[in-house]
Amino acid sequence: MVARISTVAFEGIDARIVEVECALSPGLPGFSIVGLPDKAVSEARERVRSALAAMSVALPPRKITINMSPADLPKEGSHFDLPIALALLAEAGMLDRDELANTLAIGELSLDGSLIPVLGALSAALAAAERELDLICPKSCGAEAAWIDATKVLAADSLAAVLQHFTGQSPIAPAVAGQVKVQKSSKDMAEVKDQERAKRALEIAAAGRHHLLLVGTPGSGKSMLAARLPGIMPPLSAREALETSMIHSVSGLLDAGGISQTRPFRAPHHTASMAAIVGGGRGAKPGEISLAHNGVLFMDEFPEFNRQTLETLRQPLETGDVTVARANAHLRYPSRFLLVAAANPCKCGYLTDAGRACNRAPICGEDYMKKISGPLLDRFDLRLDVPPVSFQDLDLPATGEPSSAIAERVATARARQTQRYVDQPDVTTNCDIEGDLLTRVATPDAEGREILNKAADRFGLSARGYHRVLRVARTIADLDGADCVERGHIAEALGYRLVTPFP
C-alpha cells in the first residue's frame, strides 16, 4: 500500500487533478520522481530533502519512488513540492494516510521548510471543491483560494505547520477570503477639453463593449481619452471578477489574494511579440488579450504592431476566446475584451495638416493604413477622427461631464442589457448578440430600417458591418432609455461606421 495525496496540473486556467503516490521499497537508497515531470518538478527532491532536514527528519534509508498520475500529463511548476513532501511523510508513518487522501495540496518549499506562494491557487481551490477535497496551500495564497467557499482552505507558512496540523498539535484555522477591491480611476473625463464626439464614442463603447478605433494627429488626446475609459465602465460582476481573477491567478498578477472588481486595462507596447499579445511562449501562458478579459485592451500606435500579430486578433474579437495551439498543448483562454486602437493618420502623423505634412502625402497615409487589413477594420464598431485641440481652448475652463455622471448612464444601459439577456448565458452585452436574438431586440422602426438599407446599399456594407450597426444602435437606444431602435439611433451608429478617418 502506498501513500496518496491530490494536487493539480494546470492546463490554461483549468486545473486537472493529479494523484501523487509515494512508495518505499527495498534497495539502494535513492529518490526518483516519475510521471513526466519538468525540470522544476525533478528538482523538488532536493528541496524536499533540505526541508525535511530543517525539521530534523531524515529520509528513510530505502528506495523512494514518487509517481504522479496520470503519467502522460506533463507536470510543470514548483507547486508539486508540498504534495511530494506530505506523501513521503505519510509513507514514512508520520501522517495519517486516510486523512491525506482527502486533501489537495499545492506549494513550493524553501530549503528551510517554509512555504513559498505559487500561481493558480484560485483554480486549484475550484478543482478541490469539485472533488470535495480540502486544500492546503502557502499562507500568502490562502486569501485568494478562500474565495471558493465550497472547500475548506488551510493556509500554512511552513511544512512543519502542516505536519503539526495533521498530528493535532496545532490545528490550522480555515483561511478567510481577501478583500474585494474596487480601485477608482484617478483620471476623470472632465479633464478632457473639447473632443465631445470622442467622449460620446467612449460612452457608447463602454455601454455595449463595442470596439473603437481612434485616428488623429500626435497630441490630439487619443491616449488620454483611452486611459479614462475604465473610469466610466461599471465594476465587474461576481462572475466576471472570478473569471478574470482566475486568469490573473495563473499569471501571478493577483495582489495579496484580493479579488478585484476593477476592470482590467492592458496597454501593451507595439513591439510586443505575438505570444505576448495572444498567448503562448514557455508554458503557453495567457497573453494580453486574455489578461484584458472583461476589461479594456488599448493598443496605441496600432499600425506599428506586427501585421501577423494584428491578424491574430480577428478570431478572438468574434468568439471571445482564443486557443493557443502548440505541439504538446491546446489551451483555451477566455478573451472577451473591449479593443481600443489608436493610430496616427500616416507615418509622420500630420497628413491632415497641409502645413506640416510630408512631401509624400497623401500616398504615405494610404501606405500606412494598409497595415490594417480590411477584415480587421471591419470588426471595429466605432471609428472616428480625433482632431487636435487648439492651445487657445486649453486655457478655457473645463465644461465636460465628470466620469461619474457618464458612468451612471453606462451602468443603467448595462443593467438594461443584463435584464434583457438574463436567459442568454453567452450574452452579456449588445456586442454579443447575433442571429434571431439580434433580429428580435435590434430591428429598427420603419424609418430606421429605410435609412439603414439606403446606407448599406450606397456604401456596400458587409453582412458583418450591417449587424454591427444594429448592435451599436441598440446600445445607443439603451443609453436613451428607448425600448425600440429608432431612426436617430441608426443615424448616429452609421455616423461612426461610415465616416472613416482614412485618406
Side-chain angles (χ1 to χ4, degrees), residues 424-441:
Q424 303 288 333
D426 297 329
V427 178
T428 56
T429 59
N430 288 329
C431 185
D432 304 318
I433 56 178
E434 56 185 13
D436 293 338
L437 180 61
L438 176 64
T439 303
R440 176 161 54 89
V441 304

Side-chain angles (χ1 to χ4, degrees), residues 297-327:
L297 177 66
F298 175 50
M299 301 181 73
D300 199 6
E301 306 295 344
F302 196 58
E304 296 293 340
F305 281 83
N306 179 274
R307 174 69 179 266
Q308 190 176 5
T309 300
L310 292 182
E311 292 304 302
T312 59
L313 296 176
R314 287 159 53 179
Q315 179 259 338
L317 287 174
E318 290 290 329
T319 64
D321 58 30
V322 62
T323 300
V324 180
R326 297 294 182 267

Side-chain angles (χ1 to χ4, degrees), residues 212-272:
L212 172 65
L213 175 62
L214 303 171
V215 178
T217 57
S220 58
K222 303 183 296 294
S223 300
M224 178 179 64
L225 287 162
R228 282 153 178 77
L229 182 57
I232 64 175
M233 299 181 73
L236 293 170
S237 65
R239 177 183 175 182
E240 290 174 332
L242 184 60
E243 288 178 349
T244 305
S245 296
M246 288 179 68
I247 301 172
H248 290 186
S249 176
V250 298
S251 303
L253 298 180
L254 284 188
D255 297 327
I259 286 183
S260 176
Q261 284 190 303
T262 303
R263 294 189 179 272
F265 182 83
R266 306 291 300 183
H269 193 261
H270 64 263
T271 57

Side-chain angles (χ1 to χ4, degrees), residues 43-379:
E43 292 173 347
R45 57 176 174 265
E46 304 303 331
R47 292 191 292 271
V48 170
R49 191 193 308 272
S50 179
L52 292 178
M55 297 167 52
S56 301
V57 176
L59 290 177
R62 304 175 70 182
K63 182 180 180 181
I64 303 170
T65 303
I66 301 292
N67 178 50
M68 294 180 289
S69 176
D72 60 345
L73 177 67
K75 318 299 187 306
E76 300 178 351
S78 59
H79 63 277
F80 291 94
D81 291 4
L82 181 57
I84 289 174
L86 293 178
L88 179 55
L89 290 173
E91 182 66 9
M94 300 182 66
L95 292 177
D96 182 82
R97 298 187 183 191
D98 294 335
E99 190 173 1
L100 209 62
N102 296 321
T103 302
L104 188 149
I106 58 170
E108 178 184 341
L109 287 171
S110 66
L111 298 183
D112 63 357
S114 58
L115 288 174
I116 300 173
V118 292
L119 306 180
L122 198 60
S123 297
L126 187 60
E130 291 174 350
R131 293 296 185 96
E132 298 183 350
L133 302 173
D134 295 339
L135 174 68
I136 296 180
C137 64
K139 192 169 186 177
S140 54
C141 296
E144 172 188 335
W147 280 104
I148 307 299
D149 56 6
T151 185
K152 183 168 70 173
V153 177
L154 305 175
D157 55 7
S158 66
L159 178 60
V162 178
L163 181 61
Q164 292 172 359
H165 169 78
F166 279 112
T167 57
Q169 300 177 37
S170 179
I172 300 174
V176 179
Q179 296 292 322
V180 178
K181 301 176 182 178
V182 180
Q183 184 178 358
K184 292 185 177 180
S185 175
S186 60
K187 300 176 180 179
D188 199 286
M189 201 70 78
E191 300 167 348
V192 181
K193 297 181 180 180
D194 205 355
Q195 305 292 14
E196 298 305 320
R197 180 173 167 79
K199 294 178 189 177
R200 173 63 174 175
L202 287 174
E203 181 179 345
I204 297 171
R209 198 176 64 80
H210 299 292
H211 307 302
L212 172 65
L213 175 62
L214 303 171
V215 178
T217 57
S220 58
K222 303 183 296 294
S223 300
M224 178 179 64
L225 287 162
R228 282 153 178 77
L229 182 57
I232 64 175
M233 299 181 73
L236 293 170
S237 65
R239 177 183 175 182
E240 290 174 332
L242 184 60
E243 288 178 349
T244 305
S245 296
M246 288 179 68
I247 301 172
H248 290 186
S249 176
V250 298
S251 303
L253 298 180
L254 284 188
D255 297 327
I259 286 183
S260 176
Q261 284 190 303
T262 303
R263 294 189 179 272
F265 182 83
R266 306 291 300 183
H269 193 261
H270 64 263
T271 57
S273 66
M274 183 187 300
I277 298 295
V278 182
R282 184 178 180 274
K285 295 297 184 182
E288 292 291 338
I289 63 174
S290 296
L291 297 176
H293 180 58
N294 291 322
V296 178
L297 177 66
F298 175 50
M299 301 181 73
D300 199 6
E301 306 295 344
F302 196 58
E304 296 293 340
F305 281 83
N306 179 274
R307 174 69 179 266
Q308 190 176 5
T309 300
L310 292 182
E311 292 304 302
T312 59
L313 296 176
R314 287 159 53 179
Q315 179 259 338
L317 287 174
E318 290 290 329
T319 64
D321 58 30
V322 62
T323 300
V324 180
R326 297 294 182 267
N328 60 347
H330 287 74
L331 306 179
R332 176 194 167 276
Y333 292 109
S335 54
R336 187 179 290 111
F337 57 92
L338 166 56
L339 175 60
V340 178
N344 296 323
C346 63
K347 191 71 175 178
C348 71
Y350 297 103
L351 180 67
T352 57
D353 188 342
R356 304 176 70 180
C358 67
N359 57 9
R360 293 189 66 245
I363 298 176
C364 63
E366 297 175 358
D367 293 341
Y368 191 65
M369 284 302 172
K370 282 180 181 178
K371 297 181 179 181
I372 307 175
S373 68
L376 178 58
L377 179 62
D378 201 34
R379 285 165 168 80

